[in-house]
Short mmCIF file of all heavy atoms in Angstrom, two decimals:
data_model
loop_
_atom_site.label_atom_id
_atom_site.label_comp_id
_atom_site.label_asym_id
_atom_site.label_seq_id
_atom_site.Cartn_x
_atom_site.Cartn_y
_atom_site.Cartn_z
N VAL A 790 -10.68 -45.50 -0.40
CA VAL A 790 -10.44 -45.23 1.02
C VAL A 790 -10.47 -46.53 1.81
O VAL A 790 -9.58 -46.80 2.64
CB VAL A 790 -11.47 -44.23 1.57
CG1 VAL A 790 -11.31 -44.06 3.09
CG2 VAL A 790 -11.33 -42.88 0.87
N GLU A 791 -11.48 -47.32 1.56
CA GLU A 791 -11.61 -48.58 2.30
C GLU A 791 -10.48 -49.55 2.01
O GLU A 791 -10.08 -50.35 2.87
CB GLU A 791 -12.96 -49.22 1.98
CG GLU A 791 -14.14 -48.42 2.51
CD GLU A 791 -15.49 -48.95 2.04
OE1 GLU A 791 -15.52 -49.77 1.09
OE2 GLU A 791 -16.53 -48.52 2.60
N ASP A 792 -9.92 -49.47 0.81
CA ASP A 792 -8.79 -50.33 0.45
C ASP A 792 -7.46 -49.79 0.93
O ASP A 792 -6.41 -50.43 0.73
CB ASP A 792 -8.74 -50.51 -1.07
CG ASP A 792 -9.91 -51.31 -1.61
OD1 ASP A 792 -10.58 -51.99 -0.81
OD2 ASP A 792 -10.17 -51.23 -2.83
N GLY A 793 -7.47 -48.60 1.51
CA GLY A 793 -6.25 -48.02 2.02
C GLY A 793 -5.45 -47.24 1.01
O GLY A 793 -4.32 -46.80 1.29
N ASP A 794 -5.98 -47.04 -0.19
CA ASP A 794 -5.27 -46.29 -1.22
C ASP A 794 -5.34 -44.78 -0.99
O ASP A 794 -4.52 -44.03 -1.53
CB ASP A 794 -5.83 -46.62 -2.61
CG ASP A 794 -5.62 -48.07 -2.98
OD1 ASP A 794 -4.61 -48.66 -2.53
OD2 ASP A 794 -6.47 -48.64 -3.71
N VAL A 795 -6.35 -44.35 -0.26
CA VAL A 795 -6.51 -42.93 0.07
C VAL A 795 -6.62 -42.80 1.58
O VAL A 795 -7.48 -43.45 2.21
CB VAL A 795 -7.77 -42.34 -0.60
CG1 VAL A 795 -7.98 -40.89 -0.16
CG2 VAL A 795 -7.65 -42.41 -2.12
N ALA A 796 -5.77 -41.98 2.18
CA ALA A 796 -5.80 -41.79 3.63
C ALA A 796 -6.99 -40.93 4.03
O ALA A 796 -7.38 -40.02 3.31
CB ALA A 796 -4.50 -41.13 4.08
N MET A 797 -7.54 -41.22 5.19
CA MET A 797 -8.69 -40.45 5.67
C MET A 797 -8.32 -38.98 5.87
O MET A 797 -9.17 -38.09 5.70
CB MET A 797 -9.21 -41.04 6.98
CG MET A 797 -10.47 -40.38 7.49
SD MET A 797 -11.85 -40.44 6.31
CE MET A 797 -12.21 -42.19 6.36
N GLU A 798 -7.05 -38.71 6.19
CA GLU A 798 -6.65 -37.32 6.37
C GLU A 798 -6.81 -36.52 5.08
O GLU A 798 -7.12 -35.33 5.10
CB GLU A 798 -5.19 -37.23 6.82
CG GLU A 798 -4.84 -38.03 8.07
CD GLU A 798 -4.40 -39.45 7.72
OE1 GLU A 798 -3.22 -39.66 7.36
OE2 GLU A 798 -5.26 -40.34 7.81
N VAL A 799 -6.59 -37.18 3.93
CA VAL A 799 -6.74 -36.50 2.65
C VAL A 799 -8.21 -36.18 2.40
O VAL A 799 -8.55 -35.10 1.90
CB VAL A 799 -6.15 -37.35 1.52
CG1 VAL A 799 -6.35 -36.68 0.17
CG2 VAL A 799 -4.67 -37.60 1.76
N VAL A 800 -9.08 -37.12 2.72
CA VAL A 800 -10.52 -36.88 2.59
C VAL A 800 -10.94 -35.74 3.51
O VAL A 800 -11.65 -34.81 3.10
CB VAL A 800 -11.31 -38.16 2.91
CG1 VAL A 800 -12.81 -37.87 2.93
CG2 VAL A 800 -10.99 -39.26 1.92
N ASP A 801 -10.50 -35.81 4.76
CA ASP A 801 -10.90 -34.79 5.73
C ASP A 801 -10.41 -33.40 5.32
O ASP A 801 -11.10 -32.39 5.56
CB ASP A 801 -10.36 -35.14 7.12
CG ASP A 801 -11.11 -36.29 7.77
OD1 ASP A 801 -12.18 -36.68 7.24
OD2 ASP A 801 -10.65 -36.80 8.81
N ARG A 802 -9.24 -33.35 4.72
CA ARG A 802 -8.72 -32.06 4.26
C ARG A 802 -9.66 -31.41 3.26
O ARG A 802 -9.98 -30.21 3.36
CB ARG A 802 -7.34 -32.26 3.64
CG ARG A 802 -6.68 -31.01 3.11
CD ARG A 802 -5.36 -31.33 2.41
NE ARG A 802 -5.56 -32.09 1.17
CZ ARG A 802 -4.57 -32.49 0.38
NH1 ARG A 802 -3.32 -32.23 0.70
NH2 ARG A 802 -4.83 -33.16 -0.74
N ALA A 803 -10.13 -32.18 2.30
CA ALA A 803 -11.03 -31.65 1.29
C ALA A 803 -12.39 -31.31 1.88
O ALA A 803 -12.97 -30.25 1.59
CB ALA A 803 -11.18 -32.64 0.14
N VAL A 804 -12.92 -32.20 2.72
CA VAL A 804 -14.24 -31.96 3.30
C VAL A 804 -14.20 -30.71 4.19
O VAL A 804 -15.15 -29.91 4.18
CB VAL A 804 -14.72 -33.18 4.11
CG1 VAL A 804 -16.06 -32.90 4.77
CG2 VAL A 804 -14.82 -34.41 3.21
N ALA A 805 -13.12 -30.53 4.92
CA ALA A 805 -13.01 -29.35 5.77
C ALA A 805 -13.07 -28.07 4.94
O ALA A 805 -13.68 -27.08 5.34
CB ALA A 805 -11.71 -29.40 6.56
N ARG A 806 -12.46 -28.08 3.75
CA ARG A 806 -12.50 -26.90 2.89
C ARG A 806 -13.91 -26.65 2.37
O ARG A 806 -14.35 -25.50 2.25
CB ARG A 806 -11.52 -27.08 1.73
CG ARG A 806 -10.06 -27.06 2.16
CD ARG A 806 -9.15 -27.50 1.02
NE ARG A 806 -7.74 -27.55 1.41
CZ ARG A 806 -6.82 -28.24 0.76
NH1 ARG A 806 -7.15 -28.94 -0.32
NH2 ARG A 806 -5.57 -28.25 1.18
N VAL A 807 -14.62 -27.73 2.03
CA VAL A 807 -16.01 -27.57 1.58
C VAL A 807 -16.87 -26.99 2.70
O VAL A 807 -17.66 -26.06 2.48
CB VAL A 807 -16.57 -28.93 1.11
CG1 VAL A 807 -18.07 -28.81 0.82
CG2 VAL A 807 -15.83 -29.42 -0.12
N LEU A 808 -16.73 -27.53 3.89
CA LEU A 808 -17.52 -27.04 5.02
C LEU A 808 -17.16 -25.60 5.35
O LEU A 808 -18.05 -24.79 5.67
CB LEU A 808 -17.30 -27.94 6.24
CG LEU A 808 -17.78 -29.38 6.10
CD1 LEU A 808 -17.47 -30.17 7.37
CD2 LEU A 808 -19.28 -29.45 5.79
N ARG A 809 -15.88 -25.27 5.26
CA ARG A 809 -15.47 -23.89 5.53
C ARG A 809 -16.17 -22.94 4.55
O ARG A 809 -16.64 -21.88 4.95
CB ARG A 809 -13.96 -23.76 5.42
CG ARG A 809 -13.47 -22.32 5.50
CD ARG A 809 -11.95 -22.24 5.48
NE ARG A 809 -11.42 -22.75 6.75
CZ ARG A 809 -11.32 -22.02 7.85
NH1 ARG A 809 -11.74 -20.75 7.85
NH2 ARG A 809 -10.83 -22.52 8.94
N GLN A 810 -16.22 -23.32 3.27
CA GLN A 810 -16.91 -22.47 2.30
C GLN A 810 -18.36 -22.24 2.71
O GLN A 810 -18.87 -21.12 2.66
CB GLN A 810 -16.86 -23.10 0.91
CG GLN A 810 -17.58 -22.27 -0.15
CD GLN A 810 -17.77 -22.99 -1.46
OE1 GLN A 810 -18.04 -24.19 -1.48
NE2 GLN A 810 -17.65 -22.27 -2.57
N LYS A 811 -19.02 -23.30 3.13
CA LYS A 811 -20.44 -23.17 3.49
C LYS A 811 -20.62 -22.35 4.77
O LYS A 811 -21.59 -21.57 4.88
CB LYS A 811 -21.06 -24.56 3.62
CG LYS A 811 -21.09 -25.29 2.27
CD LYS A 811 -21.76 -26.65 2.33
CE LYS A 811 -21.79 -27.28 0.92
NZ LYS A 811 -22.49 -28.57 0.89
N PHE A 812 -19.70 -22.49 5.72
CA PHE A 812 -19.75 -21.63 6.90
C PHE A 812 -19.51 -20.18 6.52
O PHE A 812 -20.20 -19.27 7.00
CB PHE A 812 -18.71 -22.08 7.92
CG PHE A 812 -19.13 -23.27 8.76
CD1 PHE A 812 -18.39 -24.43 8.76
CD2 PHE A 812 -20.28 -23.22 9.54
CE1 PHE A 812 -18.77 -25.53 9.51
CE2 PHE A 812 -20.68 -24.31 10.32
CZ PHE A 812 -19.91 -25.47 10.30
N GLU A 813 -18.52 -19.92 5.67
CA GLU A 813 -18.23 -18.55 5.26
C GLU A 813 -19.42 -17.90 4.58
O GLU A 813 -19.66 -16.69 4.71
CB GLU A 813 -17.02 -18.53 4.33
CG GLU A 813 -15.70 -18.82 5.01
CD GLU A 813 -14.54 -18.87 4.03
OE1 GLU A 813 -14.80 -18.93 2.80
OE2 GLU A 813 -13.39 -18.84 4.47
N LEU A 814 -20.17 -18.68 3.82
CA LEU A 814 -21.35 -18.17 3.12
C LEU A 814 -22.58 -18.07 4.01
O LEU A 814 -23.64 -17.64 3.55
CB LEU A 814 -21.65 -19.06 1.91
CG LEU A 814 -20.66 -18.97 0.75
CD1 LEU A 814 -20.85 -20.13 -0.23
CD2 LEU A 814 -20.80 -17.63 0.03
N GLY A 815 -22.44 -18.49 5.26
CA GLY A 815 -23.58 -18.43 6.19
C GLY A 815 -24.60 -19.51 5.98
O GLY A 815 -25.70 -19.45 6.55
N MET A 816 -24.27 -20.53 5.19
CA MET A 816 -25.25 -21.55 4.82
C MET A 816 -25.54 -22.54 5.95
O MET A 816 -26.53 -23.28 5.87
CB MET A 816 -24.77 -22.30 3.58
CG MET A 816 -24.61 -21.42 2.36
SD MET A 816 -23.91 -22.29 0.93
CE MET A 816 -25.29 -23.38 0.52
N LEU A 817 -24.70 -22.57 6.98
CA LEU A 817 -24.92 -23.48 8.10
C LEU A 817 -25.31 -22.74 9.37
O LEU A 817 -25.29 -23.31 10.46
CB LEU A 817 -23.65 -24.32 8.34
CG LEU A 817 -23.28 -25.23 7.17
CD1 LEU A 817 -22.00 -26.00 7.45
CD2 LEU A 817 -24.40 -26.20 6.86
N ASP A 818 -25.69 -21.49 9.21
CA ASP A 818 -26.20 -20.72 10.34
C ASP A 818 -27.68 -21.02 10.56
O ASP A 818 -28.41 -21.33 9.60
CB ASP A 818 -26.03 -19.22 10.10
CG ASP A 818 -24.57 -18.80 10.11
OD1 ASP A 818 -23.72 -19.62 10.52
OD2 ASP A 818 -24.28 -17.65 9.71
N PRO A 819 -28.16 -20.96 11.79
CA PRO A 819 -29.58 -21.19 12.05
C PRO A 819 -30.46 -20.25 11.23
O PRO A 819 -30.17 -19.06 11.10
CB PRO A 819 -29.71 -20.91 13.55
CG PRO A 819 -28.34 -21.12 14.10
CD PRO A 819 -27.39 -20.69 13.03
N GLY A 820 -31.52 -20.80 10.68
CA GLY A 820 -32.48 -19.98 9.94
C GLY A 820 -32.09 -19.70 8.50
O GLY A 820 -32.82 -18.97 7.81
N TRP A 821 -30.98 -20.27 8.04
CA TRP A 821 -30.60 -20.01 6.65
C TRP A 821 -31.67 -20.51 5.70
O TRP A 821 -32.28 -21.57 5.91
CB TRP A 821 -29.27 -20.72 6.32
CG TRP A 821 -28.85 -20.52 4.89
CD1 TRP A 821 -28.14 -19.49 4.39
CD2 TRP A 821 -29.14 -21.38 3.77
NE1 TRP A 821 -27.95 -19.63 3.03
CE2 TRP A 821 -28.55 -20.78 2.62
CE3 TRP A 821 -29.83 -22.58 3.62
CZ2 TRP A 821 -28.64 -21.35 1.36
CZ3 TRP A 821 -29.93 -23.14 2.36
CH2 TRP A 821 -29.34 -22.54 1.24
N SER A 822 -31.91 -19.76 4.64
CA SER A 822 -32.91 -20.14 3.65
C SER A 822 -32.29 -20.05 2.26
O SER A 822 -31.47 -19.16 2.00
CB SER A 822 -34.12 -19.20 3.72
OG SER A 822 -34.97 -19.39 2.60
N PRO A 823 -32.66 -20.96 1.37
CA PRO A 823 -32.15 -20.87 -0.01
C PRO A 823 -32.67 -19.64 -0.74
O PRO A 823 -32.11 -19.25 -1.77
CB PRO A 823 -32.63 -22.16 -0.67
CG PRO A 823 -33.81 -22.59 0.14
CD PRO A 823 -33.52 -22.15 1.54
N ILE A 824 -33.72 -19.04 -0.24
CA ILE A 824 -34.26 -17.82 -0.84
C ILE A 824 -33.83 -16.65 0.02
O ILE A 824 -34.14 -16.58 1.21
CB ILE A 824 -35.81 -17.87 -0.91
CG1 ILE A 824 -36.26 -19.07 -1.74
CG2 ILE A 824 -36.35 -16.57 -1.49
CD1 ILE A 824 -37.75 -19.26 -1.77
#
Side-chain angles (χ1 to χ4, degrees):
V790 174
E791 292 172 346
D792 292 343
D794 296 330
V795 176
M797 185 58 70
E798 306 90 81
V799 177
V800 174
D801 286 349
R802 179 184 68 180
V804 178
R806 291 169 183 160
V807 172
L808 296 178
R809 172 176 289 277
Q810 179 191 38
K811 294 183 178 183
F812 279 121
E813 289 177 346
L814 289 166
M816 298 175 69
L817 297 178
D818 292 348
W821 179 86
S822 169
I824 301 175

